[in-house]
Amino acid sequence: MTRRHRVLGGTGIEVSAHCLGAMMFGSAGNPDHDDCVRIIHAALDQGINVVDTADVYSAGESEVIVGKALAGRRDDVVLATKVHFPMGEGPNRGGSSRRWITQAVEDSLRRLNTDWIDLYQVHRPDESTDIEETLWVLSDLVQQGKIRAFGCSTFPAEQIVQAQHAAERRGLGRFRTEQPPYSILARGIEASVLPVCQEYGMGVLTWSPLAAGFLTGRYRKGQPVDLSSGRAALNPERFDPSIPENVTKLEIVEQLVELAEEVGCTLPQLAVAFVVAHPAVTSVIIGPRTIEQAEHLFKGASLALDGAVLDRIDQIVPPGTDMYTADGGWTRPVLTDPGRRRRPLAERAAV
């Protein structure tokens, strides 16, 4: 199947508008390696040419599966992986230091059974490491031919800008891509992250278009929610229908289901098409766990939402609004550390 391709952040690398995400491959999702390989092959046969994984997914198992699937097909695939989260015990088994990235890239190359990685991404910001240190080692890896380009994932807009300035100041390679969460329920990046990426000519590969399952149609207003399995078991507070915020999300889902029926598609297909429509988005990552889920999303590849439908979505969830926060296991320290938000008691009074 012929798919539309878009250039990835000025790198000259062309990628399909859909990217296959491999987070659900392995013990954390689908433990059947052969089944996961079939999903990857089905995606490639559908014209998807970019596969995104990470060292931390199922503790490296996802990378192993992707490596198996790409045997004999590696030259035709844009392969992306990520580094940052801890990969074992000890203080230096994660992060964005030169020491760790130098080791982590070798581990990923071995698991992926490849000589190079097309896009190597820093999975989250690391406040303990100077961004220049990270950019320096990534630039060295490009010179060594171990990676072709590098990017970041789930970075706030101001840290993307800081990284771009640091690269220019030091004459280093720069982040060519950003991988943020983006969906109808999580539109906050429209206000700053996406405009910043456009300003710097960065490619954008978005994750969680189905809002961790909220936009699959599985969770509906008035229907019981099983909080002991699937995504709900990992974060029950996000799906518990007794929480007012979740009631609001479920009401939004009902409106979106109705809209999808009018369009003549399913809710997941509507959700993915919405993300693809944004001019800053290069490719949207779809992360199926089963071949059935993958094939369903493949069928919606030709769906193009017109202005009237996008206007309806804007009325349901206004642009730049986050109804759902997809932190992906990381929350900005400036928000979680009270000491970063509160002066010492003796200094809090105005007089």
Side-chain angles (χ1 to χ4, degrees), residues 96 156 160 205 260 286:
S96 303
I160 295 174
L205 301 93
I286 55 175

Side-chain angles (χ1 to χ4, degrees), residues 104-120:
V105 72
E106 298 294 344
D107 293 341
S108 286
L109 288 168
R110 184 187 69 254
R111 287 189 292 262
L112 290 164
N113 192 30
T114 186
D115 295 326
W116 82 96
I117 294 164
D118 294 290
L119 177 62
Y120 198 48

Side-chain angles (χ1 to χ4, degrees), residues 12-295:
I13 301 171
E14 295 190 10
V15 297
S16 50
H18 283 173
C19 167
L20 182 69
M23 188 179 73
M24 299 307 295
F25 299 160
S27 58
N30 185 343
D32 187 329
H33 285 209
D34 291 338
D35 193 36
C36 293
V37 168
R38 281 192 290 271
I39 294 172
I40 296 172
H41 287 172
L44 300 182
D45 292 342
Q46 284 283 323
I48 291 175
N49 78 329
V50 55
V51 178
D52 177 82
T53 184
D55 55 4
V56 74
Y57 295 163
S58 295
E61 189 180 1
S62 173
E63 288 187 326
V64 171
I65 293 170
V66 170
K68 290 179 181 179
L70 298 188
R73 307 181 72 164
R74 176 67 185 89
D75 290 345
D76 298 321
V77 175
V78 177
L79 178 58
T81 192
K82 297 182 283 293
V83 60
H84 169 77
F85 286 109
M87 289 295 289
E89 299 295 331
N92 294 305
R93 297 282 297 169
S96 303
S97 68
R98 172 177 286 273
R99 185 182 193 278
W100 174 241
I101 288 177
T102 300
Q103 177 179 338
V105 72
E106 298 294 344
D107 293 341
S108 286
L109 288 168
R110 184 187 69 254
R111 287 189 292 262
L112 290 164
N113 192 30
T114 186
D115 295 326
W116 82 96
I117 294 164
D118 294 290
L119 177 62
Y120 198 48
Q121 302 154 104
V122 180
H123 212 157
R124 294 293 186 275
D126 178 5
E127 290 200 341
S128 67
T129 304
D130 192 309
I131 190 62
E132 292 182 6
E133 165 101 356
T134 302
L135 294 173
W136 212 303
V137 64
L138 293 171
S139 298
D140 286 347
L141 292 176
V142 171
Q143 291 296 319
Q144 295 165 17
K146 294 180 179 179
I147 66 176
R148 299 294 189 254
F150 54 88
C152 51
S153 175
T154 319
F155 271 47
E158 67 272 16
Q159 293 194 24
I160 295 174
V161 173
Q162 290 167 7
Q164 294 288 334
H165 286 182
E168 181 178 6
R169 184 171 61 248
R170 294 298 188 185
L172 300 170
R174 64 187 182 90
F175 286 143
R176 290 291 187 175
T177 63
E178 159 62 9
Q179 187 180 128
Y182 184 41
S183 71
I184 295 175
L185 293 181
R187 302 186 62 175
I189 65 168
E190 293 174 342
S192 55
V193 170
L194 292 183
V196 163
C197 289
Q198 288 177 299
E199 179 178 350
Y200 288 103
M202 297 173 67
V204 176
L205 301 93
T206 65
W207 57 273
S208 198
L210 304 184
F214 248 104
L215 298 178
T216 62
R218 177 179 179 182
Y219 305 102
R220 301 288 299 273
K221 183 179 179 180
Q223 296 181 4
V225 176
D226 181 3
L227 298 177
S228 64
S229 64
R231 297 272 188 171
L234 298 176
N235 296 286
E237 69 280 358
R238 290 186 174 180
F239 299 90
D240 187 344
S242 67
I243 298 176
E245 291 82 356
N246 294 334
V247 173
T248 300
K249 286 184 283 189
L250 291 172
E251 291 173 346
I252 289 173
V253 166
E254 293 305 310
Q255 297 179 65
L256 293 173
V257 167
E258 181 180 341
L259 178 58
E261 291 174 350
E262 293 177 17
V263 173
C265 67
T266 65
L267 177 58
Q269 291 169 347
L270 178 79
V272 172
F274 165 81
V275 177
V276 174
H278 196 290
V281 173
T282 310
S283 185
V284 55
I285 299 171
I286 55 175
R289 182 177 55 83
T290 67
I291 190 67
E292 291 78 17
Q293 292 173 351
E295 290 175 343

